[in-house]
Amino acid sequence: MLLSASLFLICLAALLTFWQPHGLSSAVMTCVSGGLIILLAGFSQHASWQLVAHLGWVLIGLIGALGLCILLLILLVPRLVVRKNEHLTYGVLAGIWVWLFLGGGWLYGITHGQFTGTLWPWLTFIPVFSVYLGTLFAASLVGFLRATLWRARKADTIVILGAGLLHGNQIGRVLGSRLDTALALARRQKGPVTLLVTGGQGPDETTTEAAAMADYLIAHDWPADQIVQETQATNTFSNLLYSQRLWGQFPHQGGRVVIVTNNYHLFRAEHLASQLGIRFGGYPAPTRLGYLPTAWAREFLAIIMLHPRLHRGVLVGLIAANLLWFLI
């Protein structure tokens, strides 16, 4: 019975991954399936299934610890996480601290026999919604691994997503990594390759990101006539939308199109592209290890903001269910 259920969950996750390889929902289903297998394995008396359960709980603990570190990074140094044109208000930060305090109190109450007849049962929606957010965090890690491992090898058109310029017109490490990776991929191809650089001009920039990227590529010996600039985009969504309009005008509609961006960013780019109905391959550029936690914290916030109405709906539904459970 346990083996049959586990095989069903594995096949379901594999089917959804094949059907929607770049989607957030298939990554969530992979995490849910894995969690159910771990729970089922814990009920088995067989030594091998007990090992699966123990390893699974260790993995869940590691993911939880990583998620808590990312959350603390957002709370303690928000200026490192959000960009200049973004902000986390003091009200939002205070709300997260209160949420953590109440969640910790709920956990303390249920583990120390101080739960029944107290306020904590009325706040059960807090840990449940926290598990929901934790599942999304685990799903984003699954998406990160997918995007990193399933990379394109052949390309006729390489689209390089822009990033903020330093001092108004200089290529930073993050963007430089994307450009160097794209150049290396392009030079491995047997046929001609067009490099499409995309990025508009930010409020603190003196030139468009696309123009700075084109200058960098030319300085690194890539022919100027094989570079196309998209200079209007201001975020990942418009990067993809406006670039698709350009490569759609290329011969054979760009042929095999590959998007190059940093490894932490590629999953969200692929997810947005799947929502737009755009099909392409992805290739991750490496990110400096010391910068990765900050970049991943920002990226997870961006993933959460892809579906804000859904998350608010889930939270309201959990609060309503929690109240009805005790009132009826």
Side-chain angles (χ1 to χ4, degrees), residues 223-252:
D225 60 353
Q226 295 181 28
I227 301 174
V228 176
Q229 297 184 37
E230 185 288 302
T231 59
Q232 301 300 314
T234 57
N235 52 41
T236 304
F237 183 87
S238 54
N239 279 146
L240 298 170
L241 184 63
Y242 298 157
S243 296
Q244 195 273 338
R245 294 174 181 174
L246 288 178
W247 83 60
Q249 301 173 16
F250 295 174
H252 309 292

Side-chain angles (χ1 to χ4, degrees), residues 2-229:
L2 178 57
L3 180 60
S4 299
S6 299
L7 288 176
F8 171 77
L9 291 170
I10 292 172
C11 291
L12 180 61
L15 180 62
L16 288 174
T17 300
F18 177 79
W19 175 60
Q20 196 185 35
H22 307 307
L24 182 60
S25 58
S26 64
V28 168
M29 189 61 213
T30 298
C31 295
V32 171
S33 297
L36 290 175
I37 291 173
I38 293 169
L39 286 175
L40 291 173
F43 289 109
S44 174
Q45 300 300 320
H46 198 281
S48 58
W49 283 111
Q50 284 294 315
L51 178 61
V52 169
H54 290 317
L55 292 177
W57 283 113
V58 169
L59 179 60
I60 290 174
L62 291 174
I63 293 174
L66 179 59
L68 183 59
C69 291
I70 293 296
L71 180 58
L72 291 176
L73 182 63
I74 295 171
L75 288 172
L76 298 176
V77 282
R79 292 183 180 180
L80 290 180
V81 175
V82 298
R83 296 183 176 89
K84 293 180 181 179
N85 60 335
E86 302 168 340
H87 66 280
L88 286 174
T89 64
Y90 289 116
V92 171
L93 293 174
I96 297 175
W97 278 114
V98 171
W99 184 277
L100 286 175
F101 175 77
L102 293 177
W106 185 94
L107 186 62
Y108 178 86
I110 202 170
T111 55
H112 288 75
Q114 300 177 16
F115 190 75
T116 305
T118 66
L119 175 67
W120 301 124
W122 295 86
L123 300 179
T124 301
F125 68 90
I126 291 179
V128 175
F129 189 70
S130 299
V131 170
Y132 169 79
L133 293 178
T135 303
L136 291 178
F137 180 76
S140 66
L141 292 178
V142 170
F144 169 82
L145 292 175
R146 286 181 184 173
T148 301
L149 297 175
W150 297 348
R151 58 183 65 185
R153 303 295 181 184
K154 298 180 179 180
D156 300 305
T157 301
I158 298 177
V159 181
I160 311 165
L161 302 188
L165 301 175
L166 298 179
H167 310 296
N169 60 359
Q170 297 178 17
I171 301 294
R173 288 185 179 181
V174 170
L175 188 52
S177 177
R178 299 180 187 184
L179 293 164
D180 292 340
T181 299
L183 282 170
L185 177 62
R187 286 169 176 153
R188 289 198 296 268
Q189 306 306 309
K190 296 180 179 180
V193 177
T194 299
L195 299 185
L196 197 165
V197 291
T198 169
Q201 182 174 342
D204 58 346
E205 295 172 340
T206 60
T207 185
T208 64
E209 294 169 8
M213 294 161 73
D215 291 341
Y216 183 96
L217 293 172
I218 293 171
H220 286 74
D221 302 321
W222 189 260
D225 60 353
Q226 295 181 28
I227 301 174
V228 176
Q229 297 184 37

